[in-house]
Amino acid sequence: MDFGNADSWGAAIYFWIFPFVIGDAIFPPVPSEMLVITGGALSAEGHINAFLVVLLATVSSWLGDILVFQLFKRRLSHVLDRWKWGLRFHAAVHAAIAKAGRSSTYGAIIGIRFIPGGRLAATAAAGIANVSTRGFSLCAAIGGLLWASWSVALGYFAGSATGLPFWASSLIGVGVGLVIGAVVGVIVTRRRGSPSPADSAAVDPDQELDF
C-alpha cells in the first residue's frame, strides 16, 4: 500500500478507525487523532465520506471510554497486572493522571480529551471516583462527538484551504489541533461551575491510588 497515494487509502480507513480510536483510550500514543484528521483531509478530496468518519470515530471513542471507565469503576484493573502490557497500561494511567490531573467533573470528561493523554486520565479518574454510569456515558458520547467533529474538520478545512496533498493537510491539521485543542482543553477543565457527583463523593485517598 502506497501511504502517500490517496487512492490507496480508499475505504480502508473506515476499518482502521475502530482499532485506533479504541486503542487510544488505553494507550494514548496510538495516533488515533492523526488518523481521524487524515480522514477529514481525504474527504476534502472526495475520497471518503466525512460524516461517516465522524460517526465511526464517535462510536469507537465512546466504546473505548466505556471500557476503561468500567475497568476502574469495578476495580478490575488489577487483573491486567498478570501481563506485561497490563503493567504498561497502569504506568500509562499514572503518567496521564500526573500530567492532565485527577479531575473527574463532567466538564473534564468532555473537554480534557483535547489534551494529549487527557482522555485516559479523565476516564480512569471518573471510574475511580465512582461517577454514575449514565452520566459518564452521556459525557463520553458528547465528548467523543465533539472530538471527532473537530478532528475531521481540521483535516477537511486544511485540505480545502491549502490544496496540498492529503498527508500534508493532515500534518497541518495535527499541528493546529495540538495547539488549539490543548488550550481549549485546559480552559474547559479549569472552569469553575456547579460540582458534579464525582466532586462531592467521599473517596479514600489511598483507595484512589490503588489501581
Side-chain angles (χ1 to χ4, degrees):
M1 178 176 180
D2 182 4
F3 289 98
N5 187 348
D7 293 328
S8 298
W9 288 69
I13 194 171
Y14 295 137
F15 297 97
W16 294 352
I17 289 175
F18 267 98
F20 271 69
V21 177
I22 291 178
D24 182 33
I26 300 174
F27 190 59
V30 174
S32 65
E33 183 176 24
M34 186 170 188
L35 180 65
V36 178
I37 291 175
T38 299
L42 287 169
S43 68
E45 297 183 2
H47 293 282
I48 59 176
N49 188 303
F51 293 103
L52 184 54
V53 174
V54 170
L55 176 62
L56 291 174
T58 300
V59 172
S60 52
S61 174
W62 182 81
L63 289 174
D65 288 350
I66 291 296
L67 174 63
V68 174
F69 172 73
Q70 290 295 337
L71 189 66
F72 284 91
K73 185 179 179 69
R74 299 179 184 278
R75 304 297 190 265
L76 298 176
S77 56
H78 65 278
V79 175
L80 299 177
D81 293 340
R82 299 176 182 177
W83 300 278
K84 289 184 178 180
W85 67 268
L87 293 174
R88 294 193 188 98
F89 172 66
H90 271 183
V93 171
H94 281 287
I97 291 180
K99 182 177 180 180
R102 186 179 281 273
S103 175
S104 54
T105 63
Y106 291 143
I109 295 170
I110 295 173
I112 204 172
R113 68 187 61 240
F114 292 96
I115 302 173
R119 180 186 175 196
L120 174 60
T123 303
I128 294 167
N130 203 31
V131 172
S132 71
T133 300
R134 179 178 297 181
F136 177 84
S137 298
L138 177 60
C139 290
I142 294 173
L145 177 59
L146 292 175
W147 171 79
S149 300
W150 167 250
S151 299
V152 170
L154 282 175
Y156 184 88
F157 287 112
S160 299
T162 64
L164 295 172
F166 79 95
W167 56 267
S169 299
S170 299
L171 293 177
I172 293 174
V174 170
V176 173
L178 287 175
V179 175
I180 298 180
V183 172
V184 172
V186 170
I187 293 174
V188 170
T189 56
R190 292 187 177 181
R191 286 183 58 186
R192 300 302 182 188
S194 58
S196 76
D199 298 321
S200 58
V203 182
D204 183 82
D206 294 330
Q207 183 182 22
E208 282 193 335
L209 294 175
D210 184 14
F211 293 148

